[in-house]
């Protein structure tokens, strides 16, 4: 696939780039479980599919203070709990 990413983060047909990198700013919201407030992230958009984050696929979340990394799980069904 020949694609390029513009300054607005939108993927356009054109020059091939590898690997595709898209930068997004997301907001952390609050979600309440009973009276307890918890941080909540929501990611959605065509850009996820373009980066092979397919609906229904399993992914691994690696977490460090102030940082999250998502990658496709090598094993189907490996949700990690």
């Amino acid at each position: 696939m020949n694609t390029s990413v513009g300054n607005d983060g939108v993927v356009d047909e054109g020059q091939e780039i590898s690997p595709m990198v898209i930068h997004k700013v997301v907001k952390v919201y609050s979600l309440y479980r009973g009276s307890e407030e918890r941080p909540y992230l929501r990611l959605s958009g065509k850009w996820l599919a373009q980066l092979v984050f397919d609906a229904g696929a399993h992914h691994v979340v690696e977490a460090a203070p102030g940082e999250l990394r998502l990658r496709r799980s090598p094993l189907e069904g490996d949700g990690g709990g």
Side-chain angles (χ1 to χ4, degrees):
M1 170 171 38
N2 289 335
T3 59
S4 63
V5 180
N7 291 336
D8 57 0
V10 175
V11 177
D12 299 312
E13 294 298 319
Q15 183 179 6
E16 185 172 347
I17 59 172
S18 181
M20 183 186 304
V21 176
I22 297 175
H23 296 273
K24 296 283 184 181
V25 175
V26 297
K27 183 176 180 178
V28 178
Y29 294 93
S30 294
L31 180 70
Y32 288 87
R33 298 287 181 176
S35 62
E36 187 176 330
E37 180 181 22
R38 297 182 182 179
Y40 171 75
L41 290 172
R42 179 177 175 169
L43 300 175
S44 65
K46 291 180 183 179
W47 63 276
L48 288 170
Q50 292 166 338
L51 294 170
V52 195
F53 284 88
D54 299 320
H58 290 87
H59 290 78
V60 175
V61 178
E62 297 173 351
E67 183 177 342
L68 294 175
R69 181 179 180 149
L70 300 172
R71 61 180 171 80
R72 191 171 186 106
S73 175
L75 302 173
E76 189 62 29
D78 181 18

